């Protein structure tokens, strides 16, 4: 599998977009994928850091000005008009990539359509839900975000990975999580970590340090300030650190952030990707809104009790509210354990692995059969009755079928037992790794032609993994042993996922009936097409 990443870092943009893509790229490489990056030559572009991690980097020409104008809102972040960026990106990335991963607020569906080839899939990493995307997979790791926020912004076929459980964290965070949580029990509160972003273009770090001067903290408190080497205010922060009332260390380009967070008792940080690193480690945090595009995400963190409300950095009340929040942490007593548990509950640190699995499974060739030990087809038995009832009546499935009323379990049991005895109907269960993954039903339409109507209900636990067409193909191949060689199906016009499964399994659309697309597949040999 070959994956191309298109993301940028700069003093204005920050480093978060490139760093989370770099995390995903390393996980993908460990799984056997080939990854490369396309980035623009902005000040602070991080190309050297990407190359040092062993990835090929294509560096686009420096920006020529402010780039495009809205829409989208952040169009200027590209540094050039989107049409130019699309042309340059397409020219350097090649045509043989399986996935193009785009993490950039400046680009929308127009750019994505212009860059991706016909066989290339697109994954978009977004935080804003403010523009359209031509995406097969979308990741928004923000707390409080709902999949419905992207209704009308992505195609029906697009899988949506929503929430901090999918946050792209390096594996060392999940590895250090248990020890970090255990180490907080009964420990004195002394150590504050301040992380305001890799570049911190607005020098939020100095604002935080200035506000802290008047705080009432234990005499043995100490501070660690994390900054990137390209941060414009690095020297100013180093000067301020020497003047602080408590020992204050400034560390640059930290190699072991998980270890540092495990040792810390409180973090003050911007509302970026490091929020989920802190949550994974159970590190109580005060999250500071440093930019307008963080307003919604920071508000969600406050609502879900991950952070106290200190207001935006630019407000006159910020210094006093920050000092009050810190003092409440050190002297507030009883609810510290609850704050730790609340933070830790939102992110386990395995998002990069889950996203890697989604990308790999979707790329699996449509014609590549699963190993027989992994995927098996068998006839359904009455012991499958309860599972099929659940799969049939999951909300998203129910909304796409003619009957919008879920049958009771008792009535379904009566029907299921009769269906097992019906010679004009064959019900298959497809197992993946010995786990029931799908129910495929064949209703005989024309005995003389060996034609059956096909319907499929996927186990919700297996949805979004790119398995639908594979289990359907496997069931159809087995249906040949039941003298079935011609297949018919219907899918609701808005059920893009189902239509794609049937198309990938060799069906072609032949007509419409009410709101349902009719499809057929003729397979004289009974073998998968």
């Amino acid at each position: 599998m070959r994956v191309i990443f298109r993301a940028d870092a700069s003093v204005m943009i920050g480093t978060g977009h490139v760093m989370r893509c770099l995390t995903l790229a390393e996980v993908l490489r460990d799984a056997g994928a080939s990854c490369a990056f396309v980035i623009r030559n902005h000040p602070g572009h991080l190309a050297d850091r990407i190359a040092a991690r062993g990835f090929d980097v294509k560096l686009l020409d420096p920006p020529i000005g402010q780039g495009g104008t809205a829409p989208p809102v952040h169009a200027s972040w590209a540094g050039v008009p989107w049409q130019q960026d699309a042309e340059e990106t397409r020219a350097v990335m090649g045509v043989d990539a399986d996935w193009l991963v785009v993490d950039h607020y400046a680009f929308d569906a127009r750019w994505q359509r212009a860059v991706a080839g016909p066989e290339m899939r697109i994954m978009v990493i977004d935080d804003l839900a403010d523009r359209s995307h031509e995406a097969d997979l979308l990741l928004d790791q923000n707390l409080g975000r709902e999949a419905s926020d992207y209704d009308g912004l992505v195609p029906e076929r697009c899988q949506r990975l929503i929430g901090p459980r999918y946050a792209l964290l390096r594996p060392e965070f999940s590895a250090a999580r248990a020890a970090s949580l255990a180490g907080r029990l009964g420990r004195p509160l002394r150590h504050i970590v301040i992380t305001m972003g890799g570049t911190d273009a607005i020098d939020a770090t100095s604002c935080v340090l200035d506000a802290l001067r008047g705080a009432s903290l234990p005499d043995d408190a100490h501070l660690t300030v994390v900054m990137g080497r390209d941060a414009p205010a690095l020297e100013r922060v180093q000067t301020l650190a020497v003047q602080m009332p408590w020992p204050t260390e400034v560390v640059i380009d930290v190699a072991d952030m998980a270890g540092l967070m495990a040792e810390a008792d409180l973090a003050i940080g911007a509302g970026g990707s490091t929020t989920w690193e802190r949550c994974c480690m159970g590190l109580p945090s005060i999250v500071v809104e440093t930019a307008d595009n963080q307003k919604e995400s920071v508000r969600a963190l406050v609502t879900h009790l991950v952070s106290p409300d200190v207001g935006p950095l630019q407000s006159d009340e910020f210094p006093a509210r920050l000092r009050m929040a810190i003092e409440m942490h050190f002297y507030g007593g009883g609810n510290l354990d609850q704050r730790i548990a609340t933070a830790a509950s939102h992110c386990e640190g395995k998002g990069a692995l889950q996203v890697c699995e989604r990308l790999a499974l979707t790329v699996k060739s449509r014609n590549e059969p699963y190993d027989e030990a992994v995927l098996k087809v068998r006839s359904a038995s009455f012991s499958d009755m309860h599972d099929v009832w659940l799969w049939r009546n999951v909300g998203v499935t129910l909304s796409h079928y003619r009957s919008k009323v879920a049958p009771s379990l008792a009535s379904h049991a009566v029907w299921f037992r009769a269906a097992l005895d019906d010679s004009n109907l064959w019900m298959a269960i497809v197992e993946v790794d010995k786990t029931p993954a799908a129910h495929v039903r064949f209703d005989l339409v024309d005995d003389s032609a060996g034609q059956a109507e096909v319907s499929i209900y996927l186990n919700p636990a297996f949805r979004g993994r790119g398995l639908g067409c594979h289990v359907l193909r496997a069931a159809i191949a087995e249906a040949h042993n039941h003298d079935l060689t011609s297949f018919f199906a219907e899918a609701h016009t808005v059920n893009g996922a189902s239509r794609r499964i049937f198309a990938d399994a060799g069906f072609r659309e032949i007509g419409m009936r009410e709101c349902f697309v009719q499809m057929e597949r003729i397979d004289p040999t009974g073998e998968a097409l």
Side-chain angles (χ1 to χ4, degrees):
M1 179 171 63
R2 184 167 183 261
V3 183
I4 301 293
F5 289 85
R6 178 68 184 93
D8 280 337
S10 74
V11 173
M12 178 178 66
I13 296 171
T15 62
H17 299 273
V18 165
M19 293 306 295
R20 65 186 177 186
C21 285
L22 193 54
T23 293
L24 179 57
E26 291 181 324
V27 173
L28 284 165
R29 181 172 59 186
D30 289 344
S34 170
C35 300
F37 283 75
V38 178
I39 63 175
R40 188 160 295 281
N41 189 357
H42 293 283
H45 51 64
L46 297 184
D48 53 346
R49 190 177 302 188
I50 297 169
R53 302 280 185 93
F55 295 103
D56 180 40
V57 186
K58 304 295 185 184
L59 196 59
L60 304 179
D61 290 341
I64 59 176
Q66 291 300 310
T69 56
V73 174
H74 294 82
S76 63
W77 282 21
V80 298
W82 72 263
Q83 297 92 332
Q84 178 181 338
D85 194 284
E87 182 178 351
E88 293 175 354
T89 299
R90 190 172 60 249
V92 301
M93 74 178 189
V95 297
D96 60 337
D98 298 295
W99 279 99
L100 171 62
V101 178
V102 186
D103 189 347
H104 209 303
Y105 295 164
F107 303 141
D108 59 15
R110 298 170 300 172
W111 184 97
Q112 292 147 9
R113 281 193 291 266
V115 173
E119 299 301 322
M120 187 183 303
R121 295 179 184 265
I122 300 176
M123 174 183 173
V124 170
I125 303 174
D126 190 29
D127 306 287
L128 305 179
D130 67 344
R131 62 204 187 283
S132 62
H133 297 291
E134 186 65 33
D136 298 279
L137 182 66
L138 181 137
L139 166 62
D140 187 325
Q141 62 189 24
N142 288 286
L143 188 63
R145 179 69 71 206
E146 301 288 344
S148 60
D149 293 339
Y150 286 92
D151 286 352
L153 299 180
V154 297
E156 178 69 24
R157 71 176 187 276
C158 181
Q159 302 174 40
R160 308 176 201 185
L161 308 182
I162 305 297
R165 62 174 296 202
Y166 296 109
L168 300 174
L169 307 189
R170 298 188 301 279
E172 57 260 35
F173 286 96
S174 60
R177 172 182 165 88
S180 177
L181 293 173
R184 301 189 182 284
L185 299 176
R187 187 170 70 193
L189 307 180
R190 297 295 182 265
H191 185 190
I192 301 175
V193 169
I194 301 169
T195 60
M196 303 308 298
T199 56
D200 188 13
I202 63 173
D203 193 14
T205 305
S206 294
C207 294
V208 169
L209 291 177
D210 284 336
L212 282 177
R213 287 177 180 276
S216 176
L217 297 179
D219 292 338
D220 58 351
H222 59 287
L223 283 61
T224 301
V225 179
V226 178
M227 301 196 77
R229 60 187 168 188
D230 296 320
L234 179 57
E235 290 187 9
R236 170 175 164 77
V237 170
Q238 290 172 325
T239 300
L240 284 175
V242 176
Q243 303 169 359
M244 292 298 290
W246 311 275
T248 302
E249 179 185 13
V250 179
V251 294
I252 301 170
D253 293 342
V254 174
D256 183 16
M257 183 64 83
L260 177 60
M261 289 184 176
E263 295 173 356
D265 303 311
L266 174 68
I268 304 172
S273 297
T274 54
T275 297
W276 311 121
E277 296 174 356
R278 299 189 292 262
C279 283
C280 179
M281 303 300 286
L283 176 59
S285 299
I286 298 172
V287 183
V288 180
E289 178 191 322
T290 60
D292 286 343
N293 60 32
Q294 296 178 358
K295 187 185 300 292
E296 184 179 352
S297 60
V298 172
R299 178 55 49 191
L301 293 169
V302 171
T303 300
H304 289 80
L305 306 180
V306 173
S307 171
D309 186 1
V310 296
L313 180 76
Q314 295 82 5
S315 69
D316 293 338
E317 298 82 13
F318 172 75
R321 295 179 73 164
L322 178 63
R323 288 192 293 268
M324 181 181 298
I326 292 171
E327 290 165 3
M328 285 294 294
H329 176 82
F330 280 94
Y331 305 115
N335 64 349
L336 177 61
D337 288 346
Q338 183 60 49
R339 292 201 296 271
I340 292 171
T342 298
S345 68
H346 291 295
C347 182
E348 295 183 355
K350 298 179 180 179
L353 292 172
Q354 295 182 73
V355 174
C356 175
E357 181 185 52
R358 294 293 181 100
L359 295 176
L361 282 172
T362 305
V363 164
K364 196 174 181 70
S365 169
R366 294 175 182 176
N367 293 312
E368 180 184 349
Y370 276 76
D371 186 274
E372 190 172 314
V374 176
L375 191 152
K376 290 187 176 180
V377 182
R378 61 172 173 82
S379 294
S381 68
F382 193 73
S383 62
D384 300 304
M385 180 273 297
H386 190 265
D387 282 343
V388 173
W389 180 73
L390 289 174
W391 303 346
R392 169 64 175 82
N393 295 320
V394 171
V396 65
T397 301
L398 189 61
S399 67
H400 291 153
Y401 286 87
R402 294 188 182 279
S403 173
K404 302 300 188 293
V405 179
S408 68
L409 181 59
S411 63
H412 173 77
V414 172
W415 172 87
F416 199 89
R417 189 176 295 280
L420 290 173
D421 296 331
D422 189 342
S423 60
N424 292 319
L425 188 155
W426 178 57
M427 297 193 297
I429 298 294
V430 184
E431 296 181 341
V432 175
D433 285 333
K434 300 181 180 180
T435 300
H439 168 259
V440 186
R441 180 173 130 197
F442 298 85
D443 288 273
L444 191 63
V445 176
D446 185 342
D447 192 6
S448 62
Q451 184 182 51
E453 182 173 359
V454 186
S455 56
I456 178 172
Y457 310 139
L458 206 62
N459 180 343
F462 285 86
R463 287 180 181 167
R465 301 188 181 187
L467 292 173
C469 71
H470 294 285
V471 298
L472 183 55
R473 283 173 173 270
I476 287 174
E478 182 64 24
H480 183 246
N481 295 326
H482 295 261
D483 300 323
L484 300 176
T485 57
S486 177
F487 305 95
F488 173 83
E490 290 187 337
H492 199 288
T493 53
V494 301
N495 191 353
S498 181
R499 291 171 65 180
R500 183 164 186 162
I501 286 173
F502 279 102
D504 287 353
F507 284 74
R508 64 185 183 92
E509 297 186 356
I510 58 173
M512 289 280 298
R513 184 164 71 96
E514 298 176 356
C515 295
F516 291 82
V517 176
Q518 298 177 313
M519 300 166 284
E520 72 171 3
R521 165 178 160 150
I522 300 174
D523 181 13
T525 66
E527 298 178 356
L529 298 178

